[in-house]
Amino acid sequence: MGKIGFAAKSLCKSALQSSNCPYCGSHATSLMERKPLVLQLRKCEACKLQYRFPKDDAAENYHFYQDAYRESAVTDLPAASEVPHHVATSFRKIGLDLTDRLKTITAIAPIGRLIDYGSSWGYGVYQFRKAGYDAYGFEISRTRVEFGRSALQVELSDSIASFPDTSFDVVYSAHCLEHIPNPDSALRQFPRLLKPGGHLFIYVPNCGGAEARKLGVRWGQMIGEKHVSAFTAEFFHRNLPKYGFQEVQFLSSPYSSRPQKYEAASLEGEELLVTGVRG
Ligand SMILES: [Zn+2]
């Protein structure tokens, strides 16, 4: 949607919506910053979620990701004829090489069954498979699912319910949660999908880091049409244990060491990694 259309829609919604927290429902929320023309960054005092107001509902969000969402190579599908070249060069030219993430993940999670939650067209699933994981992907957009199945021969589905309970050793979700109107819909899937002892890896923009503090809503990764939540380590530290996760730990880019406990971690980088073990 163009900027004017998005602003007009936001203006209409802000007149009709309650500003309560989209995650826990609390009305104890405060305005952190405004972004022209009508967007607000709000923070829930109860659960610590930072979110965009006006909010999206799930149906609106579903249609946006089927039809309108664009995010460079993540969503813009390459020509099928270019895919062999991207595979041969480990997706580097389009900025989708996961070598660094794989180093972090393989140091923590043994090789096993892995699901990429929010897999787009499967470039991650492909690289996890190559690294030895029995990898699958869940992606909301049917177009991207069909492209990945055909171009990369990877197993992708647009139905999270099609993946059985406690069937995975690893859940990996990168730059997905900040797009979902209520992150609970994804967070509740993670312990369902994981075996006891299974590992969770969440990557999101670090909206508690140095760049986010310096630029606020002027930081590109902060709230906007695409990003409805602005996550901080504080949110996951407080809420992931409710989903049965233990040993919740954090690291921010660059990833030169292992994740650490919330109290000990220095988290100033632009990206946040959250890890946990299902109890
Ligand atoms: Zn809340």
Side-chain angles (χ1 to χ4, degrees):
M1 184 178 297
K3 277 190 176 163
I4 293 173
F6 177 62
K9 193 172 83 166
S10 299
L11 193 61
C12 292
K13 283 200 298 188
S14 62
L16 300 168
Q17 274 185 0
S18 158
S19 59
N20 68 335
C21 174
Y23 175 69
C24 77
S26 171
H27 287 274
T29 72
S30 57
L31 174 66
M32 295 181 75
E33 271 188 86
R34 283 181 193 278
K35 183 174 182 176
L37 300 161
V38 288
L39 299 190
Q40 298 178 12
L41 174 65
R42 301 192 70 88
K43 182 170 183 177
C44 173
E45 302 310 327
C47 73
K48 307 301 180 189
L49 181 70
Q50 296 180 178
Y51 62 95
R52 181 248 277 160
F53 176 81
K55 301 170 276 184
D56 290 349
D57 64 37
E60 185 181 4
N61 188 259
Y62 176 81
H63 290 295
F64 177 67
Y65 284 98
Q66 293 299 327
D67 306 329
Y69 176 47
R70 293 285 178 276
E71 186 75 65
S72 64
V74 173
T75 58
D76 286 347
L77 302 174
S81 60
E82 291 169 9
V83 170
H85 172 70
H86 294 316
V87 167
T89 55
S90 195
F91 304 88
R92 267 192 300 277
K93 209 166 99 185
I94 44 176
L96 301 173
D97 174 15
L98 300 190
T99 302
D100 285 346
R101 287 193 190 160
L102 269 160
K103 267 186 214 152
T104 307
I105 291 168
T106 52
I108 295 170
I111 296 296
R113 267 172 65 87
L114 177 149
I115 183 162
D116 180 349
Y117 188 100
S119 63
S120 189
W121 52 280
Y123 48 83
V125 174
Y126 184 92
Q127 293 174 72
F128 283 118
R129 286 216 161 234
K130 207 170 155 210
Y133 289 96
D134 183 15
Y136 300 79
F138 162 67
E139 165 58 38
I140 192 171
S141 157
R142 247 174 266 129
T143 308
R144 291 190 272 280
V145 163
E146 281 160 18
F147 181 85
R149 281 176 181 164
S150 144
L152 291 171
Q153 313 286 303
V154 288
E155 298 201 41
L156 307 178
S157 172
D158 65 350
S159 163
I160 194 61
S162 68
F163 296 104
D165 293 358
T166 60
S167 58
F168 289 97
D169 301 286
V170 181
V171 166
Y172 163 85
S173 184
H175 294 268
C176 172
L177 291 187
E178 67 271 26
H179 299 267
I180 300 176
N182 181 352
D184 177 68
S185 63
L187 293 174
R188 72 168 63 193
Q189 290 294 332
F190 299 165
R192 178 187 79 76
L193 293 163
L194 279 171
K195 300 172 187 172
H199 291 269
L200 173 66
F201 297 86
I202 297 172
Y203 290 85
V204 287
N206 183 17
C207 294
E211 203 65 8
R213 284 202 310 279
K214 191 171 84 185
L215 295 173
V217 293
R218 288 180 292 125
W219 188 42
Q221 300 295 309
M222 202 60 93
I223 56 154
E225 183 173 17
K226 291 178 278 197
H227 291 179
V228 295
S229 296
F231 287 109
T232 59
E234 183 185 29
F235 172 81
F236 293 106
H237 171 65
R238 177 175 286 243
N239 295 291
L240 267 188
K242 292 181 203 160
Y243 296 89
F245 284 100
Q246 303 169 346
E247 299 171 48
V248 176
Q249 297 189 325
F250 302 91
L251 197 63
S252 78
S253 53
Y255 301 109
S256 49
S257 57
R258 286 179 74 97
Q260 292 186 299
K261 286 192 171 133
Y262 179 68
E263 295 77 8
S266 168
L267 302 168
E268 296 294 1
E270 293 194 5
E271 187 181 65
L272 179 69
L273 165 61
V274 187
T275 65
V277 176
R278 185 191 184 278

